[in-house]
Amino acid sequence: MSPLDRIANVSILKQHDIDKLYKLENKPIYTNSDQLCFLIRPRIKHVKHIADLVNADKKSGVNRKYKIIFSPQKFYTCDMILEQEGVYGDVTSDEWPFYLLPLDDDIISMELPEFHRDYFVEGDQRWIGTVARALHLLNSIFGPMSKVYGIGRCAKMTYEMWKELLDEEDVLQKERKPDLGLVFMIDRDVDYITPLCSQVVYEGLVDDIFRIKCGSVEFGPEVTSSDKNVKILLNAQDKVFGEIRNEHFSNVFSFLSQKARNLQTQYDKRRGMDIKQMKTFVAQELKGLKQEHRMLSLHIGACEAIMKKKTKQDFQELLKTEHSLLEGFDVRENISVIEEHINRQVSPIESLRLLCLLSLTENGLIAKDYRSLKTQYLQSYGPEHLLTFSNLKRAGMLTEQAPGETLTAVESRVSKLVTDKAVGKLTDAFLSLAKKSHFRGISKKLGLIPRVDGDYDLKTPKDMAYVFSGAYTPLSCKIIEQVLVRKGWTGLEEVTRLLNSIEFAVLYTEQLSERNSFSDSHRTIVVVFLGGCTFSEISALRFLGKEIGTTHEM
């Protein structure tokens, strides 16, 4: 499902004189229409393809009107490409500032999957302004935020651009009473560990196996027990899904079994009803019960499909290796397991995840191990992954320890003092030097690895670590928790030093007291992940919200 499908289906578009819909692909469009309208993201490949279509029509003597609508905004590069291709005068363009798409009661997405690659790998900062405008839109709807916390260079730059937009707005807007408590902005590269760990909450597993796209999932015959695929929305309106989405997978089957028994009991109420009672039952309850029964059947089918793929010995070994890497035990044995995983060609993605997890937890790989593992991976999965290794290295996810490659105290301090606007390249240079993981120290400071006597209670968890079977508390969520508890970054100086990230805290509405900006339990906290987040983190933040009495919007 695409973002457009969430707000305007085919029938609505046809009501507005849209004749036919085409997915933009690298092939000709065959139509008799004299007008073509393209709704696209501002990507170079899309603009070049449209230019090719226009030039092809011109060669064929076809006279049409062309309009390109860029969403959420148009970049200068797009106009430059149209001019280079010789079609700038043949095309009109416009912008559709569609910044935010509500996917659920507590999830809002910008649907920009390219953000992480563009910024954290390529160093392209073009989407920062887009995020700033999206935050400004939230601000204009719900009123000024009471406070803003952030960690990461991208978060800092986004806030600075957002602040410029806020300074331009009228006084009445600034004096509005805020409906939202505070905003917490966090760069994805602050915590790469969490997205590398295998998800074990139900929603995370559904995403891993079936891929959740734009808040919807498509189940195939293995789930539906028919020849047809079924596409459904996954949100709080699905009562069955709403109750199991954040649960550890080991608890889901027992819940679904109990739910099936409860539904059967409600169906059995029909027996012994008189006509009037039956009429009321059919009018008020039967439709809802049938819908709930349908969704229950689909989720049971999804669980069975997940069980077949995720409870095999390979998956259990994978979890064991991940937990061992997180705890720092048996490094040589873990390397042997990873080598076996690669040589057996179990999965190219899972092999890469283990390699990155090993690198991040061990502050990079020693040269000998790096070369050996890289060679084995390329031999197993193909030399085309040389570019993959290059990109992972640039992102700081899979690095090689070099003799004497350490960051001095002066370099560390300068990398935080150099302003982004003044000399971005110099900052990037220092940050690339500083891109070393200090996971062991951070884990010890924040207590990311829970210490419990006996087995971890997954049915009634006491902390956020349940999202990873009690083996690890998501670093990103732990940072958010600690800042909220401490009401700022005080006491976390050592953690931010080890993360080598820029942190900030800004009081937005000065007329609010410090007490009110934090203590109002009804306040909603907006957590902004710059570069994407996982469903495990969303589940952990929902758990945190219940514990501290707040609502988290992500």
Side-chain angles (χ1 to χ4, degrees), residues 441-458:
I442 296 167
S443 177
K444 186 176 180 181
K445 286 286 182 184
L446 293 177
L448 299 181
I449 310 299
R451 303 299 178 190
V452 294
D453 295 327
D455 294 333
Y456 187 92
D457 187 358
L458 294 172

Side-chain angles (χ1 to χ4, degrees), residues 36-92:
L36 291 180
C37 181
F38 302 92
L39 177 62
I40 63 169
R41 295 290 192 191
R43 297 169 185 158
I44 291 176
K45 65 177 182 178
H46 292 340
V47 179
K48 282 188 173 182
H49 178 51
I50 292 170
D52 290 340
L53 292 173
V54 175
N55 282 324
D57 282 350
K58 287 165 73 174
K59 287 182 180 179
S60 304
V62 179
N63 187 24
R64 289 193 180 110
K65 292 181 179 179
Y66 308 93
K67 181 161 189 173
I68 305 176
I69 301 175
F70 294 95
S71 180
Q73 67 188 93
K74 180 176 71 171
F75 296 123
Y76 170 74
T77 312
C78 301
D79 282 341
M80 189 175 68
I81 296 297
L82 291 173
E83 192 170 351
Q84 288 176 352
E85 298 294 325
V87 298
Y88 184 78
D90 301 302
V91 176
T92 59

